[in-house]
Amino acid sequence: MALTPALSDRPRVLVVGGGYVGLYVALKLQKKVKRHGGIVTLVDPLPYMTYQPFLPEVASGSIEARHAVVNHRQHLQDTELITGRVTSIDHAAKKAVITPAAGEAFELDYRDVVVAAGAITRTFPIPGLAEAGIGLKTIEEAVELRNKVLERIETASQLPAGAERTRALTFVGVGGGFAGIEAMTEIEDLGRAAVRKNGRLRQEDLRFVLVEAMGRIMPEVTEEQAKWVVEHMRSRGIEVMLNTSLAKAEGGVLELINMPDKTPAETFEADTLLWTAGVQANPVARSFGFPQDERGRIKADATLQIIGENGPIDGAWTAGDVAAVPDLTGGGVGGFCVPNAQHAIRQAKRLAKNIYAARWGVGSVKQYKHKNLGAVAGFGLNKGVAKIMGIKLKGWPAWMAHRGYHGLAMPTVERKIRVISNWFWTIFLGRDTTRLADLQTPYRQFREAASPQPRPQAAAAPKPATDAPAAGSEKELASTGR
């Protein structure tokens, strides 16, 4: 394999992954590295970064899907972009193997590498889950969840009362973390708004169920706030089943069990199964040859350098969900930073400064340390919960804090403006409940039109009258106009 001629041969900072960490490292380094005669190269299968905290609002229609992503090509104009995957890394030789979206794999030389491959949805071997479930880790999943909820409601409105209609109007979420709670409350808001516009359905026809294996939800907030969230959800008609787990999901039949004794809890049918039961480090990192912990995360020190048996590895860096970064504040689970957007974005900015300091001597290499100031969550329009610097909020104030924080945290000014504009117009125009049909089969109508059509059958000739009309009847019909 040889270096593709179209790619630059300048000293390279190779960024593996274009999520929070990859985007911000490239943004902060691209012009600086260019001034020193080098180049930043970012490799990712997707041409954009997804701001995942907005996925529940994309699913409910509060945010336009394209506004929750940041286009790499638009905002990384001094970065060399490759749409593809890094399949292996030989750090001793400072070479990576790239498999592009089109064409053959090739080798790429680098001077520094940033492993920012992020995380994927964590699942368990539950029968039927792979076929019935839908995650909420990508913008495509959020759009599909939205369309499925609206399609099931519309279809159910045309069905007679019975098991099929009940199944279509049952929406289940598994996972009581931030993502699961926000997603279920947002789609509950969306579903009720859709039913208000459909005279064939009643609000009581809808069923929303949240399943959580632990005895409480949202460990990021206080126990008092977590209990309030459960009460709030139940007041909206959402069934919250704690200490309960999903055992099977075959054929649309969900079997729930009590935890921890695993005795049968409830069995019912549902067409929509949302899975938000956590994330895990991207397994692609296993093929890069860097040391990992027991959870598959790449080992790092507080300066965000990858560490081996003999300490930091020169020219190797990592951050975000794929990395085991020490939490120097002492607040992280197991002593490490938790996988969330707040840490990923701040780590990326520190990492970019550290690379620049280590390679070009501008500034100094410093440790990453950030004390979590709190947590915010939105539960649909005008509803939320928050804990900010010890101050507990709920309802409309918490919802405003949620939008304020994430509106500011959204990368790039251009995307901030688009998102905030969405929110502004929703105040006056209301929630958009439009479903986009045929996204799974976008060429269906064209192919039907282009396919040979059966020749229409000629109409049968009318049978001759067996009895002649009475005398004068034809004249009489004409005069009456019939």
Side-chain angles (χ1 to χ4, degrees), residues 207 209 239 241 244-248 253-258 263-269:
R207 185 185 184 190
V209 182
E239 301 173 39
M241 305 179 72
T244 308
S245 182
L246 177 67
K248 286 185 180 180
V253 179
L254 307 187
E255 294 185 20
L256 306 182
I257 55 175
N258 297 307
T263 57
E266 186 177 351
T267 299
F268 57 89
E269 294 183 87

Side-chain angles (χ1 to χ4, degrees), residues 33-53:
V33 173
K34 184 179 180 180
R35 285 198 299 267
H36 290 275
I39 192 167
V40 175
T41 300
L42 186 147
V43 183
D44 194 277
L46 298 173
Y48 50 79
M49 168 264 192
T50 302
Y51 190 70
Q52 294 173 1

Side-chain angles (χ1 to χ4, degrees), residues 325-388:
V325 177
D327 187 344
L328 299 183
T329 68
V333 179
F336 296 97
C337 295
V338 297
N340 62 23
Q342 186 176 152
H343 278 307
I345 292 172
R346 287 174 168 81
Q347 287 173 6
K349 295 176 180 179
R350 180 72 262 161
L351 192 156
K353 291 177 180 178
N354 284 354
I355 291 178
Y356 198 51
R359 186 59 64 190
W360 287 281
V362 180
S364 59
V365 175
K366 296 181 180 179
Q367 294 182 327
Y368 171 78
K369 183 177 181 179
H370 172 70
K371 183 174 178 59
N372 194 333
L373 299 179
V376 292
F379 301 153
L381 295 178
N382 302 308
K383 298 176 282 287
V385 67
K387 184 182 71 172
I388 304 171

